[in-house]
Structure formats: C-alpha cells, structure tokens
Amino acid sequence: MLKDEVLKLKKEKDIVILAHNYQVPEVQDVADFVGDSLGLSRQAAKVKQKTILFCGVHFMAETAAIVSPGKRVLIPDLEAGCSLSDSITIDQLRKWKKEHPDAITVGYVNTTAEIKSELDYCCTSSNAVNVVNAIPKEREILFLPDMFLGSYVSKITGRKNMQIWAGECHVHAGITPADIEKKLAELKNAEFVVHPECSCTTPMMYDIASGSYKNHQVQILSTEGMMKHVSKSDSQQFVVATETGILYRMRQQNPQKTFIPASENAECEYMKMITLDKVYRSLYDEKYEVKVAKKIADKARIAIERMLSIS
Ligand code: 13P
Ligand code: SF4
C-alpha cells in the first residue's frame, strides 16, 4: 500500500511530515503533525529532523524554511499557491507604506516571504488580536491582506486607527451570510465555529463578542482553535465554517459528535493539489525544495519571531 511505502520511506530518510488541517485524509494520515499555520511554524522550528516535507501551500512551506534556516524544506507540488497571499504584491505594499510612513505593518502569515520581509509583525488567525493589542494604541496600523480578518480584529480590539487591505481568500469569502442563515434555520441546536477569513463574519460582528448569534453559540477561531473548541464543548452538533478538509480530523477525534460544513463548496483547490502520490514522489526524489533568499529570510524572520514571542 502507498501509505505503508510513505511511512517506510520517511522513516528510512528521517524526514518529518507536517500537514495543514485542510489536507486530504490520506495525507493527514501519514503526517507526524497536523495543525494550523501557527502550530506548524512552531513545529518546523522545533523538530530534530534536518528535512521537513511540508504538506500545505507554498507560503506555509516558505515560513517553515524561514524559521528553520538550517533545515531543508520540501513541498510535494510547487504550484500549491494561495489566492489570499496573491492579493497583495510587493510594489503595492511598498506604495501603501510610503503613503503611511509612520504606520506599523501587520501581515497575515498568508503572504509571500518577500511581503513578510517588509512587515513589522506577522500574525495568524489564532493570534492576530494579541499581536494588534501588543502595538501601542496611538500607532496607526496597516493590516494586510485579509479584509474579513482585519475587520474582525479591528472590532474585537476596538482599534479605529487600522487601515485594512481589501484582499480575500476565495474559499472563505465564498462562505456567505446566506450559508449561515440557512444553517441557522435548519439546525436549532447547533453550535457554530467560524474562521475569521469568512465573509459571513460581517453580520455577526456585533454579537460575536458575547459568543452568541441568534440564540446559537458562535466562536470565531483559527483552524486549530476550532479543533480544541469542538473537543471541549458540550454541544453535540457543530456547523463548521472553513475549508472542508478539517472535517476529517474533527470527526476522527470526536466520533460521538456531528460536524456539518457551512458550505460544501468550501474546498481549497491549492490544498488539494497535495496528494499521497505526490507525497511519495516528493520523499523518493527529495523534491521540490522551497528556498528563500537569505536576505529576504533574515528580514522576514524578524516579523515572524515578533509574532511567536507574543502568542
Ligand atoms: P489557519 O491559520 O487557521 O490554519 O488558516 C490558514 C489558512 O490558510 C486559512 O485559509
Ligand atoms: Fe489560501 Fe484560502 Fe486556500 Fe487558505 S483556504 S490556503 S487562505 S486560498
């Protein structure tokens, strides 16, 4: 079986496999660690193996390479990109910074290494609120590139001096208020867990601070935050508003509970480009290496390390 071949090969070659929560089940099953962007960057820095096979999208593999400069990072498909990361270019960022010379730049981890090298702080969905709270109140903030996460953070922190880039992830922007309304009407007892990149967060914004929306419990969480929450919550039924790949792990770890996707269409085609077959080829041929130029990596690492020291 291909799964056994992969497990044998990674052991023989002493390669650690990190996989994002959105990966297909067969890939999650061969991984040493499955988690969210923040958790996987922490693991990349911590693991003892000299080679990391990163099953996720390109910016995540780049982040792993930046935080562990002595290690080799491989990705099974170099084309696994991210629409959110593509929503701001380096020239756009430089121009924006010039227009706000005194502002502090906070960029989501879903950005290229080159963008990160121009940031003051990096953040992920699980620590964006803490990162913004760590910046003195009087300083203007440029937050990029996700507008839904940016609006959520601005609401929770009460920050008025935050400029937000109008970028979005096509998968999460596609989980709309109408999807949530439909589930609210159909499922009377379900609890809602929602990723802050979703466009459906907008109408909930004034209620989420209290943890409830139209008599349902609602939590806005990163993918790993969702994993932790659904395990400890007493609710038996959850509507999950994020990429559907996470349902596999949720169901596996909580077999007695029910998980319903907010939208069946919420599939990230980039995440799904990583197949078990490509994982095997990647281990066998030791390809494709994700390299970040030292000059860029050294600058990007400062923004990432600032983030890691806060959350
Ligand atoms: P997390 O940081 O919650 O894992 O999300 C990453 C991502 O790509 C969301 O689409
Ligand atoms: Fe990027 Fe969206 Fe895919 Fe996450 S789900 S990797 S933000 S395109």
Side-chain angles (χ1 to χ4, degrees):
M1 248 169 84
L2 191 55
K3 178 182 174 183
D4 299 327
E5 292 299 315
V6 167
L7 294 175
K8 197 167 131 220
L9 207 51
K10 76 165 182 173
K11 200 167 168 211
E12 267 168 31
K13 296 196 173 203
D14 197 26
I15 296 177
V16 65
I17 301 184
L18 305 184
H20 189 265
N21 285 319
Y22 299 160
Q23 290 291 292
V24 293
E26 310 83 82
V27 171
Q28 293 194 29
D29 285 348
V30 295
D32 297 282
F33 301 97
V34 182
D36 67 356
S37 313
L38 180 63
L40 294 177
S41 18
R42 286 192 193 286
Q43 284 299 341
K46 214 161 72 180
V47 291
K48 61 174 193 339
Q49 288 88 345
K50 291 276 177 285
T51 303
I52 297 168
L53 178 58
F54 202 103
C55 298
V57 294
H58 193 265
F59 77 81
M60 295 180 178
E62 272 189 339
T63 308
I66 294 165
V67 297
S68 41
K71 293 170 193 159
R72 182 173 57 146
V73 177
L74 306 174
I75 189 166
D77 190 331
L78 281 169
E79 299 298 311
C82 167
S83 60
L84 180 53
S85 149
D86 286 345
S87 65
I88 186 162
T89 66
I90 192 71
D91 291 340
Q92 288 172 320
L93 175 56
R94 287 186 182 137
K95 183 167 173 281
W96 203 30
K97 284 174 68 173
K98 252 195 201 130
E99 290 161 5
H100 301 267
D102 298 322
I104 302 273
T105 46
V106 180
Y108 196 29
V109 70
N110 295 44
T111 47
T112 62
E114 199 179 23
I115 295 279
K116 288 190 182 79
S117 73
E118 291 271 342
L119 299 174
D120 295 303
Y121 288 86
C122 199
C123 73
T124 72
S125 53
S126 65
N127 63 19
V129 168
N130 291 349
V131 168
V132 165
N133 275 334
I135 297 167
K137 290 246 170 313
E138 66 285 3
R139 296 298 299 272
E140 185 184 21
I141 293 177
L142 301 183
F143 189 95
L144 64 118
D146 190 77
M147 59 178 165
F148 299 110
L149 177 66
S151 316
Y152 167 71
V153 172
S154 151
K155 166 74 184 146
I156 295 292
T157 59
R159 229 34 212 230
K160 300 279 178 276
N161 55 354
M162 241 175 99
Q163 309 292 329
I164 300 165
W165 190 257
E168 63 176 32
C169 148
H170 69 297
V171 179
H172 286 87
I175 305 177
T176 62
D179 290 321
I180 298 296
E181 287 304 324
K182 193 163 171 278
K183 294 288 185 276
L184 282 168
E186 285 168 8
L187 306 159
K188 296 294 170 219
N189 298 315
E191 182 171 357
F192 286 64
V193 285
V194 180
H195 196 280
E197 284 172 25
C198 294
S199 68
C200 64
T201 53
T202 311
M204 294 176 174
M205 213 62 98
Y206 287 93
D207 297 305
I208 46 181
S210 64
S212 109
Y213 181 69
K214 299 193 178 174
N215 295 326
H216 286 257
Q217 279 177 277
V218 175
Q219 306 290 330
I220 308 261
L221 297 162
S222 73
T223 57
E224 203 54 31
M226 287 182 182
M227 288 304 305
K228 289 193 185 112
H229 181 78
V230 299
S231 294
K232 69 167 201 278
S233 167
D234 290 333
S235 301
Q236 292 303 307
Q237 192 182 47
F238 297 85
V239 173
V240 182
T242 192
E243 212 273 353
T244 53
I246 198 169
L247 296 167
Y248 173 65
R249 205 172 152 220
M250 282 181 172
R251 288 173 179 150
Q252 214 184 23
Q253 292 186 5
N254 308 277
Q256 75 290 8
K257 296 184 179 178
T258 312
F259 299 96
I260 300 139
S263 162
E264 296 277 359
N265 301 328
E267 261 208 8
C268 175
E269 62 271 40
Y270 302 112
M271 285 283 179
K272 289 349 186 210
M273 286 171 88
I274 311 297
T275 59
L276 190 60
D277 200 42
K278 287 184 193 169
V279 170
Y280 177 76
R281 294 287 354 150
S282 187
L283 280 171
Y284 190 85
D285 295 332
E286 301 188 25
K287 66 181 188 187
Y288 299 91
E289 186 167 358
V290 175
K291 283 191 178 163
V292 181
K294 187 175 177 328
K295 217 169 118 199
I296 289 179
D298 287 348
K299 282 171 75 186
R301 197 174 304 113
I302 298 171
I304 297 171
E305 280 172 359
R306 274 191 193 135
M307 162 186 90
L308 292 175
S309 71
I310 290 169
S311 48

